[in-house]
Amino acid sequence: MNSHASRPRTALVIGAGMVGLATAWHLQRRGIDVTVIDRTGVAAGSSWGNAGWLTPGLAMPLAEPSLWTYAPRALLDPNAALHIPVRLQPRLWRFLLRFIGHATARTWRRTMADLTPIDRLALDAYDELRAGGVAARSREIDFLVAFESVRQARAFRHELAGVEAAGQQVPLRRLDSTQELVPQVADLPYAYALGGQRIIEPGPFVESLADAVRDRGAKIITGETVRDVEQVPGAGVRVDLGNGRTEAADVAVLATGAWLPELARPLGVRTPVQAGRGYSFTVSGAIDHPVYFPARRVACTPYQGRFRIAGTMEFRGPDEPLQPRRINAIVNSVRDLLPGLDLDRRSDEWVGSRPVTTDGLPLIGATRLPGVYVAGGHGMWGIVLGPATGRLLADQITTGTVPEALRPFNPLR
């Protein structure tokens, strides 16, 4: 139950990405006055340059059995999607050992079962934002999924069978050729159309969500870093912005992505969170359909009249600079698959830090400090699961009851 004797009237949300702003929007919908604080700005982190895929059918555990064979090869391949810098960093290697320890078939099935209830809410939660006044919209469209071998295609279909066994429907139909959907893609021998999923333009969508939150009366403070969170007996919680400046409210939500441990760990959140950095860039190309190369771990999507290409899971610090070699790795891995595009004339080269947990489950719910909640650790699925996270967490904050879909994500586990 909430520690407060009455329903909270005010809230601080720390983080102005998709997860934080969706939580703010839902708290407002329940009559709570909200202030949002972000150290940089709206959609400044991993909410901007991702592929914008709303694909609950693909929101599955990152640690899966093939990682045992793929990871050692990736360490020796400069163009591999997985990149771990060779450096003495005990915390990172402890994280990786725990992460790969979850890469078993049994653990994958259990984690998939835990993710399925929130996966099934994901698209409906986007419809709720649209119906509630968020101007940006999502678009349902077929995804081209292409493979070079039957072995690659069989592995993907096996994963989707696991997703369906957990309770989702993932429409997939065989195509005669990749050219049916995307002429610019090489004619690979195994091609499928994945249905029932959507796309957004992530940066503009999150900006539109911020506008809707402002229109409801919220204050969004940017350029301020929260240094500490504390309980004020009888008066809710207070955050320290430095130089004697503070903000206070009845409750606070920490939605700071890959930076979550800085504030959440002292509050009892012990599950490690590591920045799994993704890269993207855009090129010219009027392509209507998203494209997925699972074997190369590259996701492509239409974006503002161009084509955004995203990939890589790079385990570095969240504030480290962009590594041009990782952009080159993506280019080298797909050059032969996208002969119709000029990959050497790129714009919007970007890196964003996704918050990856060791067990593949988000951290959503109450911390040890009464009145303080966390919403993060979604890994690659913050965009697709952000609105559903906001809805469920707002329910917990305002009713004191943990929704069933959130129970596996207890931050104090």
Side-chain angles (χ1 to χ4, degrees):
M1 296 295 292
N2 282 318
S3 63
H4 302 286
S6 59
R7 175 190 178 100
R9 295 174 298 174
T10 58
L12 299 172
V13 175
I14 318 305
M18 176 66 84
V19 174
L21 288 170
T23 303
W25 190 89
H26 278 283
L27 288 170
Q28 290 177 307
R29 195 178 181 109
R30 289 153 179 78
I32 296 175
D33 291 331
V34 176
T35 297
V36 180
I37 305 172
D38 193 279
R39 68 175 194 157
T40 306
V42 171
S46 57
S47 288
W48 187 84
N50 63 83
W53 285 15
L54 307 187
T55 51
L58 300 180
M60 60 184 76
L62 295 178
E64 42 86 23
S66 70
L67 193 62
W68 289 97
T69 54
Y70 173 74
R73 293 199 310 268
L75 292 175
L76 302 175
D77 181 359
N79 293 325
L82 176 64
H83 179 68
I84 304 168
V86 180
R87 57 174 66 162
L88 183 61
Q89 203 168 28
R91 181 177 294 180
L92 172 59
W93 290 104
R94 285 196 298 270
F95 170 89
L96 292 172
L97 287 172
R98 292 179 62 176
F99 179 78
I100 201 169
H102 287 85
T104 68
R106 180 179 180 181
T107 301
W108 191 96
R109 290 192 296 270
R110 184 174 66 245
T111 307
M112 190 68 243
D114 288 339
L115 288 169
T116 294
I118 195 170
D119 283 351
R120 295 178 64 177
L121 295 174
L123 298 183
D124 180 65
Y126 268 90
D127 292 339
E128 187 176 8
L129 293 180
R130 177 68 179 170
V134 177
R137 63 180 62 197
S138 61
R139 179 160 65 107
E140 184 168 342
I141 191 169
D142 281 345
F143 286 58
L144 172 64
V145 187
F147 305 91
E148 300 157 85
S149 71
V150 65
R151 179 183 58 83
Q152 294 172 356
R154 187 181 297 122
F156 179 74
R157 292 180 65 94
H158 177 73
E159 283 194 319
L160 289 194
V163 173
E164 292 192 323
Q168 292 194 65
Q169 293 184 342
V170 191
L172 190 72
R173 60 183 173 87
R174 181 75 185 267
L175 300 175
D176 293 330
S177 167
T178 57
Q179 313 290 304
E180 287 186 45
L181 288 183
V182 184
Q184 295 90 338
V185 172
D187 191 11
L188 301 180
Y190 299 92
Y192 298 85
L194 175 69
Q197 319 296 307
R198 304 184 195 176
I199 58 173
I200 59 170
E201 293 184 342
F205 193 102
V206 176
E207 291 279 2
S208 180
L209 179 55
D211 289 342
V213 169
R214 288 191 190 97
D215 289 346
R216 285 179 165 179
K219 179 170 62 172
I220 299 181
I221 302 171
T222 59
E224 296 283 3
T225 299
V226 173
R227 292 167 167 78
D228 192 21
V229 184
E230 61 180 353
Q231 185 184 22
V232 181
V237 297
R238 179 171 59 212
V239 301
D240 174 18
L241 302 178
N243 296 322
R245 293 167 299 136
T246 62
E247 292 282 340
D250 294 334
V251 297
V253 177
L254 310 181
T256 52
W259 296 266
L260 188 65
E262 297 173 15
L263 294 174
R265 186 170 178 80
L267 308 182
V269 181
R270 301 299 185 187
T271 299
V273 176
Q274 167 65 40
R277 307 199 320 166
Y279 285 73
S280 73
F281 56 88
T282 58
V283 295
S284 296
I287 297 176
D288 293 330
H289 292 268
V291 178
Y292 186 28
F293 301 115
R296 307 286 178 96
R297 292 167 169 80
V298 172
C300 314
T301 194
Y303 183 78
Q304 297 187 336
R306 294 169 61 80
F307 202 53
R308 174 173 282 177
I309 300 173
T312 290
M313 176 63 75
E314 179 192 46
F315 289 120
R316 283 184 181 267
D319 291 312
E320 293 189 49
L322 180 147
Q323 305 292 310
R325 288 173 296 179
R326 303 313 305 155
I327 296 287
N328 294 335
I330 298 173
V331 171
N332 293 338
S333 72
V334 297
R335 190 182 293 279
D336 60 328
L337 304 182
L338 296 169
L341 300 178
D342 185 352
L343 301 181
D344 296 320
R345 298 186 64 183
R346 303 184 293 272
S347 62
D348 296 331
E349 292 188 349
W350 172 90
V351 61
S353 294
R354 300 165 299 198
V356 180
T357 60
T358 50
D359 61 7
L361 297 175
L363 301 162
I364 310 169
T367 70
R368 192 173 58 195
L369 189 66
V372 181
Y373 301 80
V374 298
H378 293 80
M380 296 173 62
W381 314 123
I383 287 293
V384 61
L385 299 181
T389 295
R391 177 204 290 179
L392 294 168
L393 184 56
D395 282 345
Q396 179 177 345
I397 292 170
T398 54
T399 68
T401 300
V402 179
E404 282 298 319
L406 289 189
R407 291 192 180 278
F409 312 145
N410 181 357
L412 302 181
R413 61 181 183 269

